[in-house]
Amino acid sequence: LIRSETGDIRDASRLQAAMVEAEPEVVLHLAAQALVRPARAHPVETFSSNVMGTLEVLEAVRATPSVKVVVVVTSDKVYDNHEWPWAYRETDALGGKEPYGASKACCEIAVQAWRHAYFGRGGHGAALLSARAGNVIGGGDWAEDRLIPDAMRAFIAGKPLVLRNPSAVRPWQHVLEPLIGYLALAEAADSGLGPDHGAFNFGPASEDARTVREVVEAVVGRWGDGAGWVQDLAAQPYEARLLEVDSGLARSLLGWSPKWRLAEGLDRTVDWYKAWAAGADMRAFTLEQAEARLDG
C-alpha cells in the first residue's frame, strides 16, 4: 500500500521509488477526492488529486517493469448526464456539470490517453483499465456529506437526518460488490482480456436504482429507536437527480454480478453501524461480513 500526497513532484518521486522497490504486479488506484460537495468547495485541489494524482501513479507504473495490470477506479459520475431514463454504457460521452464529475471525466480521458500513448503494444506492456462505480454503502464510512454516514451520525446522536435531495435516484450497492468486480477485472486483464476494452461499469441491478427517500426510509426502519428524517428546504447547488449505469460488459466478459441486492446491502450496513455503536470488535465484524459475501 503506497500513499502519496498529490501536487508535489517530490512526492511523485517518492511514489515512483517506492513502487520500483516493491515490484508489484497489480496496481489498484482507488485514491481520490471522492465527495461532491467538498469538490465544489475546493475545485482546484479536486482536479489536482483526481487528475494529476492519477498521472503520478501511471508515471510511477511506467518506471516499474514488474507491473502487469493497472485498474484506475473513477466514478459513475464521469458521464455527460442528461438524466435520461436509461442506463449509461461505457461508450457514452463523458462530461461533468460540477467539479467532482468533471474531474473524474478528465481522469478517464487521461487514462485513455496514457493507455494509447504509453501502454500496450510498443509501450510498457501492462494492461491499463478503468472501473466506474458509485453510491456504495457499507460499514466503516464516516465521510461528511454522504447519505449513510450522515444518517448514522444523526441516528446515533438521537437526531433526525437532514436530506438535501430526497427525490434523487442513484444505483445503490454494497461496497463489497464493486470491490470484488475490481479484483475480477484485474484477474481477467492478467489472463489476457484483450486490448479492445478499457473501461468497465460496476453497478447494481436496475431495480436497485432507488430514490434517496426510499433508501433513507429503509434505513430508518432498520435502525428503529425513533430514527427519522427532515428535508432541508434551502437552495442547494446542482446535483444530478437521475443516474444509472449499465454493467452488461462486466457481466458478459468478467462473469461479475452483484450478489447482495439492495435490501441485504442495507441490512449489512445497518448491522455494521449498530455493532460499532455497541463497541464490537469491528475488524472481526468486517471480516465476517466479507467472508459472508465471498461465500454467497
Side-chain angles (χ1 to χ4, degrees):
L1 177 64
I2 301 173
R3 181 171 182 173
S4 172
E5 297 297 331
T6 60
D8 186 333
I9 189 63
R10 293 171 297 174
D11 289 320
S13 299
R14 287 199 294 270
L15 172 62
Q16 180 173 313
M19 189 174 292
V20 170
E21 181 180 0
E23 296 185 325
E25 294 185 357
V26 177
V27 174
L28 303 176
H29 177 45
L30 293 85
Q33 197 301 85
L35 302 173
V36 173
R37 285 164 68 90
R40 180 179 289 274
H42 306 286
V44 175
E45 293 176 15
T46 297
F47 274 79
S48 176
S49 176
N50 293 351
V51 182
M52 297 308 300
T54 298
L55 295 185
E56 288 179 5
V57 172
L58 296 185
E59 287 298 279
V61 168
R62 290 180 62 202
T64 309
S66 62
V67 178
K68 298 178 180 179
V69 177
V70 185
V71 177
V72 176
V73 176
T74 60
S75 171
D76 59 355
K77 296 174 180 62
V78 299
Y79 294 104
D80 185 14
N81 188 3
H82 296 276
E83 305 196 31
W84 291 320
W86 55 79
Y88 288 90
R89 296 181 178 180
E90 292 83 352
T91 53
D92 284 328
L94 304 177
K97 297 180 177 67
E98 39 71 33
Y100 174 74
S103 72
K104 286 297 191 176
C106 289
C107 178
E108 285 278 357
I109 293 170
V111 168
Q112 182 182 34
W114 258 244
R115 181 187 304 118
H116 289 289
Y118 304 118
F119 289 84
R121 296 186 183 95
H124 180 282
L128 174 57
L129 306 108
S130 63
R132 303 167 180 174
N135 289 91
V136 295
I137 59 175
D141 185 358
W142 295 105
E144 299 286 342
D145 285 319
R146 283 177 57 79
L147 182 65
I148 298 299
D150 286 351
M152 296 300 100
R153 277 188 291 268
F155 299 163
I156 290 170
K159 299 178 180 180
L161 170 66
V162 179
L163 292 184
R164 299 190 306 270
N165 192 0
S167 62
V169 176
R170 297 289 184 269
W172 308 94
Q173 59 186 331
H174 193 278
V175 65
L176 291 176
E177 299 298 343
L179 289 178
I180 289 171
Y182 305 157
L183 296 176
L185 178 57
E187 184 177 18
D190 187 41
S191 300
L193 185 61
D196 297 330
H197 302 289
F200 284 77
N201 289 333
F202 293 94
S206 59
E207 299 91 323
D208 287 340
R210 305 288 184 86
T211 65
V212 170
R213 181 195 302 270
E214 290 176 293
V215 170
V216 168
E217 290 181 348
V219 171
V220 164
R222 285 165 170 79
W223 188 267
D225 196 27
W229 66 274
V230 296
Q231 185 171 354
D232 185 351
L233 299 179
Q236 301 293 333
Y238 170 81
E239 289 185 61
R241 298 178 66 86
L242 177 64
L243 176 63
E244 294 183 48
V245 294
D246 185 323
S247 303
L249 188 61
R251 287 177 170 83
S252 62
L253 290 184
L254 307 178
W256 172 88
S257 62
K259 303 300 181 185
W260 286 354
R261 297 294 303 276
L262 179 58
E264 184 162 8
L266 290 171
D267 287 341
R268 301 283 184 172
T269 300
V270 173
D271 287 348
W272 194 97
Y273 287 99
K274 284 191 170 185
W276 179 87
D281 180 343
M282 297 317 299
R283 176 178 172 80
F285 192 90
T286 302
L287 290 174
E288 288 174 6
Q289 286 199 335
E291 288 292 338
R293 169 56 184 83
L294 292 172
D295 291 343

